[in-house]
Amino acid sequence: MMWWPVGASLFASNIGSGHFVGLAGSGAAAGISVTAYEFNGLFSVLILAWIFLPIYIAGQVTTMPEYLRKRFGGNRIPIILAVLYLFIYIFTKISVDMYAGAIFIQQSLKLDLYLAIAGLLVITAVYTVAGGLAAVIYTDALQTVIMLIGALTLMGYSFAAVGGLEGLTEKYFLALATNRTENSSCGLPREDAFHIFRDPLTSDLPWPGILLGMSIPSLWYWCTDQVIVQRSLAAKNLSHAKGGSLMAAYLKVLPLFMMVFPGMISRVLFSDQVACADPEICQKVCGNPSGCSDIAYPKLVLELLPTGLRGLMIAVMVAALMSSLTSIFNSASTIFTMDLWNHVRPRASEKELMIVGRVFVLFLVLVSILWIPVIQASQGGQLFIYIQSISSYLQPPVAVVFIMGCFWKRSNEKGAFWGLILGLILGLIRLVLDFIYIQPRCDQPDERPAVVKDIHYLYFSMILSAVTLITMSTMSWCTEPPSKEMVSRLTWFTRHDPIVHKEQVPPASPLPPILSQNGTAEASSTNIQLDTVQENMSKTHSCDVTHKQSRVVRAILWLCGLEGKDQAEPVSRVDLVIVSLEENPTVKALLNINLILCITCAVFLWGYFA
């Protein structure tokens, strides 16, 4: 792809309806500090193109599990990451998307939150079965364009309604709910609402945590997440990938003006609803006693936009959420069947894999629905802060493993495994404690343990990173170094090593697909799945008898997407588009100049709003 579709795709993959609801809600509740996540991502997407992408290209890898298998060998780390990604899907993807979409439907149609969730899931199921993945691909681009046009239009209406940025600066601190108790501090705007850098001990986002603790999960998302990296690898060459990252970096400035400031304006215009402080009133307004800041953006859409544009914006938001849910369901099903179920039953048929995948998605949906009350109660009812806190507990160990693998040649599989295990155990302990000891409302005493109350989640991210780093370094030093083939062209310092073509030696006797993985560190689950499906399909055809299926069986097969399928579709590997690190000197110089300009603009924005 050219550089501009890559950049647009990177931005669209990152920004969705959950971002609109979450960023605007946090802006309404606490001011612009949440913008730090977007500005931090600006640097991370540039690091992807200039530092991490050359390593992935040199190693000729197309997926992140493939990189880990080549760099460390074995199957332990990819299996752990498969389980971890499923946890992340439940806690930060499926439940969050359902909640964000339900808020839009709830505010539009005045329905109960869970009735809105049920409606969203039914429409999503019809959308998925009727259109499939092709419908998702064809509608994503159009939805993103309309969403951006609508968001920019709404931004104009919002600033006009409040009197511009100066009017917002004056009126935000006066935006109080009329029903709040006079002698209570509940519902008061923060005095540092227009500052990104805040007190390191008592604030909601301490500045040392923003600079250090926030950067590690950001690197995980932008530099090692399969969805993001795959879009960069789809570029024509490294220069186009860099151009796409530059475009995405410039676009990352928009959320402050499209989402955060409008969220603060919504608090000014609809103080009694968005800034409600009484739990009983909040329950009536939005169904969440912890606060109603997350309705800030839907409220603006419904109250400020003209009738036609209002309906279009809501339709696009819900459609984007359904598209996102469909993609997540597909990814979760693939991870579970290919990376986990395939190890339990290596000779499973295509029909079995499809049914298991669909049943597992139903399980994920049920767990995610049960998890929504926890989202409502967490982090004072701020959706975006909830997402980031979960990320700070689960993502730093994975990020450190990738960083060490890319930049330290001595790191090996044992060090990576034990560093990952220890880091994830500590993160899961803190995650469980966070959900056992829910943050109290402002009018209640805080009786949580010190490890939850006094250690901010961004500081805990720093602790997790340090523990993983020390454990991985120690174990790697105390065990044997990795072989040369596990280092060559797979680290920053060896990316220019000559390519060594290994000779393929046929095995003495045929092995089952699952056993063949033990012979090489580079076997992929896709190849295993292909062999397995082909073998089982031959068995199926040999035993196939033309008998009439019952209507119940046909209905189940239709629901699982297996109706009328006499042959298995071939499973193909994703071909690496970029195969060389070579760049045109003139283009490279222009990109580097643009990089310096982009970083300069970002530093200015940090300084101006800090």
Side-chain angles (χ1 to χ4, degrees):
M1 286 195 295
M2 300 281 286
W3 62 271
W4 60 269
V6 173
S9 181
L10 286 172
F11 184 71
S13 300
N14 173 234
I15 300 295
S17 302
H19 257 69
F20 280 89
V21 171
L23 282 174
S26 292
I32 69 169
S33 62
V34 73
T35 310
Y37 287 100
E38 301 306 303
F39 288 174
N40 207 301
L42 188 157
F43 290 101
S44 297
V45 72
L46 296 175
I47 291 173
L48 166 66
W50 263 263
I51 296 179
F52 280 86
L53 211 57
I55 300 173
Y56 300 148
I57 295 169
Q60 297 182 345
V61 297
T62 54
T63 68
M64 296 301 94
E66 182 184 4
Y67 174 80
L68 292 175
R69 275 190 292 266
K70 283 189 172 186
R71 178 62 182 85
F72 296 115
N75 292 311
R76 297 191 297 180
I77 295 176
I79 289 176
I80 291 172
L81 290 187
V83 175
L84 175 64
Y85 285 148
L86 293 177
F87 270 100
I88 291 175
Y89 280 147
I90 293 174
F91 294 141
T92 67
K93 300 278 188 182
I94 301 174
S95 54
V96 166
D97 277 353
M98 287 195 298
Y99 179 56
I103 287 177
F104 264 97
I105 297 174
Q106 178 199 44
Q107 293 299 310
S108 304
L109 304 178
K110 306 301 179 185
L111 295 176
D112 176 75
L113 183 69
Y114 289 93
L115 186 60
I117 290 171
L120 180 65
L121 288 173
V122 169
I123 298 171
T124 303
V126 174
Y127 175 73
T128 304
V129 173
L133 194 56
V136 179
I137 295 171
Y138 289 129
T139 54
D140 264 353
L142 181 62
Q143 288 167 4
T144 302
V145 171
I146 297 175
M147 206 161 20
L148 286 176
I149 293 173
L152 290 170
T153 305
L154 181 59
M155 180 185 74
Y157 277 100
S158 302
F159 276 110
V162 83
L165 188 57
E166 291 184 4
L168 174 62
T169 306
E170 295 173 5
K171 297 174 183 177
Y172 180 79
F173 296 103
L174 304 175
L176 303 172
T178 56
N179 47 41
R180 63 176 292 273
T181 307
E182 290 296 330
N183 58 357
S184 170
S185 61
C186 297
L188 290 175
R190 292 185 62 93
E191 295 179 359
D192 53 4
F194 285 87
H195 298 282
I196 293 179
F197 283 3
R198 299 182 176 180
D199 188 274
L201 297 178
T202 60
S203 68
D204 57 334
L205 285 177
W207 68 263
I210 286 176
L211 292 179
L212 299 175
M214 191 182 288
S215 301
I216 303 298
S218 180
L219 285 174
W220 173 86
Y221 178 80
W222 286 103
C223 301
T224 70
D225 184 69
Q226 177 62 30
V227 174
I228 299 297
V229 175
Q230 195 171 34
R231 277 151 177 76
S232 294
L233 288 173
K236 288 174 64 176
N237 53 44
L238 184 55
S239 296
H240 279 274
K242 289 181 177 180
S245 285
L246 279 168
M247 178 181 173
Y250 283 119
L251 289 174
K252 288 295 284 181
V253 177
L254 291 178
L256 170 62
F257 302 96
M258 285 197 320
M259 303 169 203
V260 180
F261 280 144
M264 299 172 74
I265 293 171
S266 183
R267 178 185 178 118
V268 173
L269 299 178
F270 315 108
S271 300
D272 286 342
Q273 292 87 27
V274 176
C276 73
D278 186 278
E280 294 182 0
I281 295 175
C282 290
Q283 181 68 39
K284 293 178 182 177
V285 171
C286 65
N288 185 2
S290 297
C292 290
S293 60
D294 282 337
I295 70 169
Y297 203 83
K299 200 74 178 169
L300 281 179
V301 172
L302 293 169
E303 299 292 341
L304 290 189
L305 286 180
T307 304
L309 191 56
R310 180 193 315 160
L312 181 63
M313 189 69 174
I314 292 174
V316 167
M317 287 286 182
V318 175
L321 277 167
M322 292 192 299
S323 169
S324 176
L325 281 173
T326 304
S327 301
I328 294 167
F329 291 159
N330 180 66
S331 298
S333 174
T334 303
I335 288 174
F336 182 76
T337 54
M338 294 292 221
D339 295 332
L340 298 178
W341 190 259
N342 194 53
H343 285 275
V344 178
R345 288 180 56 82
R347 298 182 182 277
S349 65
E350 183 204 19
K351 184 180 293 187
E352 178 183 336
L353 291 173
M354 288 289 288
I355 293 174
V356 167
R358 295 294 171 92
V359 170
F360 181 70
V361 166
L362 288 176
F363 169 75
L364 287 184
V365 169
L366 291 175
V367 174
S368 300
I369 292 174
L370 295 175
W371 195 253
I372 285 176
V374 179
I375 297 177
Q376 290 180 297
S378 295
Q379 304 298 331
Q382 294 186 56
L383 178 65
F384 195 77
I385 300 301
Y386 159 81
I387 297 171
Q388 300 306 327
S389 64
I390 300 294
S391 300
S392 297
Y393 302 148
L394 298 179
Q395 294 170 0
V398 185
V400 170
V401 167
F402 270 97
I403 292 170
M404 293 288 281
C406 288
F407 297 99
W408 189 39
K409 293 188 288 185
R410 186 63 175 76
S411 59
N412 60 19
E413 194 270 348
K414 292 183 176 64
F417 175 77
W418 289 109
L420 191 62
I421 287 293
L422 184 58
L424 289 177
I425 288 174
L426 292 177
L428 287 172
I429 290 173
R430 173 61 192 263
L431 183 68
V432 171
L433 289 175
D434 257 20
F435 294 139
I436 292 176
Y437 300 99
I438 299 294
Q439 180 180 347
R441 294 194 293 267
C442 67
D443 57 345
Q444 296 177 335
D446 193 346
E447 299 177 348
R448 295 176 296 169
V451 68
V452 178
K453 179 175 63 175
D454 299 331
I455 302 178
H456 194 274
Y457 64 84
L458 289 178
Y459 287 148
F460 197 82
S461 171
M462 296 164 61
I463 294 171
L464 277 183
S465 302
V467 169
T468 306
L469 180 66
I470 293 171
T471 304
M472 186 172 177
S473 302
T474 304
M475 289 298 297
S476 294
W477 272 119
C478 295
T479 53
E480 69 280 357
S483 62
K484 186 177 180 180
E485 67 179 15
M486 290 183 178
V487 176
S488 180
R489 300 183 68 85
L490 292 168
T491 72
W492 175 259
F493 306 102
T494 61
R495 67 190 188 282
H496 294 300
D497 284 2
I499 300 177
V500 178
H501 298 284
K502 290 183 287 187
E503 295 182 2
Q504 298 294 329
V505 180
S509 59
L511 294 174
I514 191 64
L515 296 179
S516 64
Q517 278 192 331
N518 297 329
T520 174
E522 297 157 352
S524 71
S525 58
T526 307
N527 291 335
I528 296 168
Q529 182 60 26
L530 179 58
D531 297 338
T532 313
V533 168
Q534 288 175 341
E535 180 177 345
N536 283 283
M537 286 308 295
S538 64
K539 290 181 182 179
T540 304
H541 286 302
S542 63
C543 301
D544 192 16
V545 180
T546 57
H547 61 279
K548 191 172 182 180
Q549 294 174 328
S550 68
R551 291 182 179 180
V552 175
V553 173
R554 285 201 301 254
I556 293 174
L557 292 178
W558 176 82
L559 183 63
C560 293
L562 292 171
E563 80 289 353
K565 290 189 179 180
D566 297 326
Q567 292 182 347
E569 295 180 1
V571 183
S572 60
R573 283 176 57 86
V574 179
D575 293 328
L576 188 67
V577 177
I578 310 176
V579 295
S580 173
L581 297 179
E582 297 296 324
E583 295 181 83
N584 183 295
T586 305
V587 174
K588 183 177 181 180
L590 289 174
L591 287 169
N592 289 337
I593 292 170
N594 213 328
L595 172 68
I596 295 171
L597 180 63
C598 184
I599 292 175
T600 303
C601 293
V603 171
F604 169 77
L605 288 171
W606 271 105
Y608 184 82
F609 290 106

